[in-house]
């Protein structure tokens, strides 16, 4: 027992000194930094690995203090970044830019993969705020905002798409899926927000859970809820 306690203390000290040695401090994005939206007791701070990451996180910090409209939580955003960087995404398509917070989370991964985000927004005011947030974060070169009705503008998309993120017009996710899924590469991901609240379209749920071409998991379901669907190879 004494050895276990000593090892635990040593690990804590090592992590503390490591963060001090890198000179990086955690970025506080508000109360959800300790995950109350997932009811987790685990403190999971955001430590930027370099100045570029710090700039994006600080922009997120400021964005969360301004007009927010509909945006992802910190927990959801971290998942978006993790998936983007893990699969080495080159082309990400987002339906529902809002004020750009989810786009900034994607940019955290895309700046490392060399990829690009194409994000669709119908409201000019929100798109303008998002554009400014992207510029302030230094990632505007990684992101293209497409203004207009995404049910129409997605027809111009080119593949292959690595990730599709659905977060607008919740009742019509199925239409976006039908139009875009042929352009998603085998092994690509379809991520849909708000699988709990507001209640998702049953037809969309059926489409992603009954099609043998897909494999779907539902994550963070104690909050807004996210579905992650693999387009099988």
């Amino acid at each position: 027992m004494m050895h276990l306690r000593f090892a635990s203390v040593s690990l804590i000290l090592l992590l503390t000194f490591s963060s001090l040695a890198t000179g990086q401090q955690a970025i506080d994005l508000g109360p959800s930094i300790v995950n109350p939206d997932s009811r987790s007791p685990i403190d999971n701070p955001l430590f930027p690995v370099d100045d570029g990451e710090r700039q994006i996180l600080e922009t997120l910090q400021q964005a969360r203090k301004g007009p927010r409209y509909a945006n992802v939580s910190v927990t959801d955003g971290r998942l978006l970044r993790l998936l983007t960087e893990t699969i080495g995404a080159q082309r990400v398509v987002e339906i529902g830019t809002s004020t750009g917070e989810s786009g900034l989370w994607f940019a955290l991964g895309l700046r490392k993969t060399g990829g690009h985000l194409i994000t669709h927004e119908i409201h000019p005011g929100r798109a303008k705020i998002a554009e400014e947030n992207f510029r302030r974060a230094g990632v505007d070169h990684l992101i293209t905002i497409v203004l207009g009705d995404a049910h129409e503008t997605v027809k111009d998309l080119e593949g292959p798409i690595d990730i599709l993120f659905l977060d607008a017009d919740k009742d019509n996710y199925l239409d976006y899926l039908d139009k875009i899924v042929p352009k998603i590469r085998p092994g690509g991901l379809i991520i849909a927000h708000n699988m709990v609240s507001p209640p998702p379209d049953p037809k969309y749920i059926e489409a992603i859970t009954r099609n043998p071409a897909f494999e779907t998991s539902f994550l963070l379901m104690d909050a807004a809820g996210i579905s992650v669907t693999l387009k099988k190879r």
Side-chain angles (χ1 to χ4, degrees), residues 124-231:
R126 297 183 190 184
K128 185 176 181 180
I129 295 171
E131 185 177 24
E132 177 59 24
N133 284 332
F134 298 152
R135 185 199 61 76
R136 187 181 301 116
V139 296
D140 48 323
H141 62 293
L142 299 177
I143 302 172
T144 298
I145 300 175
V146 179
L147 190 61
D149 182 351
H151 292 287
E152 297 300 322
T153 58
V154 298
K155 296 176 182 178
D156 297 326
L157 284 170
E158 296 181 358
I161 295 168
D162 297 288
I163 293 177
L164 168 63
F165 180 51
L166 301 174
D167 194 21
D169 193 13
K170 320 293 181 180
D171 293 335
N172 289 300
Y173 278 5
L174 185 58
D175 182 60
Y176 297 126
L177 181 70
D178 289 343
K179 289 175 177 174
I180 302 174
V181 76
K183 301 175 184 180
I184 298 173
R185 69 168 173 84
L189 300 177
I190 303 147
I191 307 170
H193 200 228
N194 298 109
M195 291 292 99
V196 174
S197 178
D201 176 11
K203 293 181 179 179
Y204 178 78
I205 298 300
E206 181 179 4
I208 61 174
T209 59
R210 297 292 184 267
N211 187 336
F214 295 148
E215 179 64 39
T216 297
S217 289
F218 294 89
L219 309 175
L220 305 175
M221 296 297 280
D222 50 358
I226 290 179
S227 64
V228 179
T229 299
L230 170 72
K231 182 178 178 179

Side-chain angles (χ1 to χ4, degrees), residues 3-233:
H3 291 298
L4 180 59
R5 289 177 180 172
F6 178 76
S8 299
V9 171
S10 299
L11 178 59
I12 292 170
L13 289 173
L14 176 61
L15 291 173
T16 301
F17 287 129
S18 295
S19 64
L20 291 174
T22 61
Q24 298 290 356
Q25 295 181 343
I27 302 293
D28 184 0
L29 294 185
S32 57
I33 200 73
V34 286
N35 258 357
D37 53 351
S38 64
R39 300 176 183 83
S40 170
I42 299 174
D43 185 13
N44 187 19
L46 283 156
F47 284 100
V49 72
D50 54 33
D51 290 340
E53 185 167 320
R54 173 171 292 280
Q55 184 175 351
I56 298 171
L57 292 175
E58 287 178 345
T59 302
L60 269 165
Q61 187 178 49
Q62 292 302 311
R64 290 174 63 82
K65 296 176 182 178
R68 300 204 63 228
Y69 301 102
N71 276 294
V72 299
S73 71
V74 173
T75 307
D76 296 343
R78 294 178 83 160
L79 177 63
L80 297 179
R81 183 266 176 89
L82 186 152
L83 293 173
T84 300
E85 197 162 341
T86 298
I87 72 167
Q90 294 298 299
R91 182 174 301 223
V92 177
V93 172
E94 175 182 49
I95 308 299
T97 312
S98 189
T99 55
E101 291 185 30
S102 51
L104 291 172
W105 287 109
F106 278 120
L108 283 167
L110 292 171
R111 61 187 289 267
K112 296 296 185 179
T113 67
H116 197 87
L117 170 66
I118 302 170
T119 179
H120 297 253
E121 178 57 49
I122 197 169
H123 298 286
R126 297 183 190 184
K128 185 176 181 180
I129 295 171
E131 185 177 24
E132 177 59 24
N133 284 332
F134 298 152
R135 185 199 61 76
R136 187 181 301 116
V139 296
D140 48 323
H141 62 293
L142 299 177
I143 302 172
T144 298
I145 300 175
V146 179
L147 190 61
D149 182 351
H151 292 287
E152 297 300 322
T153 58
V154 298
K155 296 176 182 178
D156 297 326
L157 284 170
E158 296 181 358
I161 295 168
D162 297 288
I163 293 177
L164 168 63
F165 180 51
L166 301 174
D167 194 21
D169 193 13
K170 320 293 181 180
D171 293 335
N172 289 300
Y173 278 5
L174 185 58
D175 182 60
Y176 297 126
L177 181 70
D178 289 343
K179 289 175 177 174
I180 302 174
V181 76
K183 301 175 184 180
I184 298 173
R185 69 168 173 84
L189 300 177
I190 303 147
I191 307 170
H193 200 228
N194 298 109
M195 291 292 99
V196 174
S197 178
D201 176 11
K203 293 181 179 179
Y204 178 78
I205 298 300
E206 181 179 4
I208 61 174
T209 59
R210 297 292 184 267
N211 187 336
F214 295 148
E215 179 64 39
T216 297
S217 289
F218 294 89
L219 309 175
L220 305 175
M221 296 297 280
D222 50 358
I226 290 179
S227 64
V228 179
T229 299
L230 170 72
K231 182 178 178 179
K232 295 179 183 177
R233 300 175 190 275

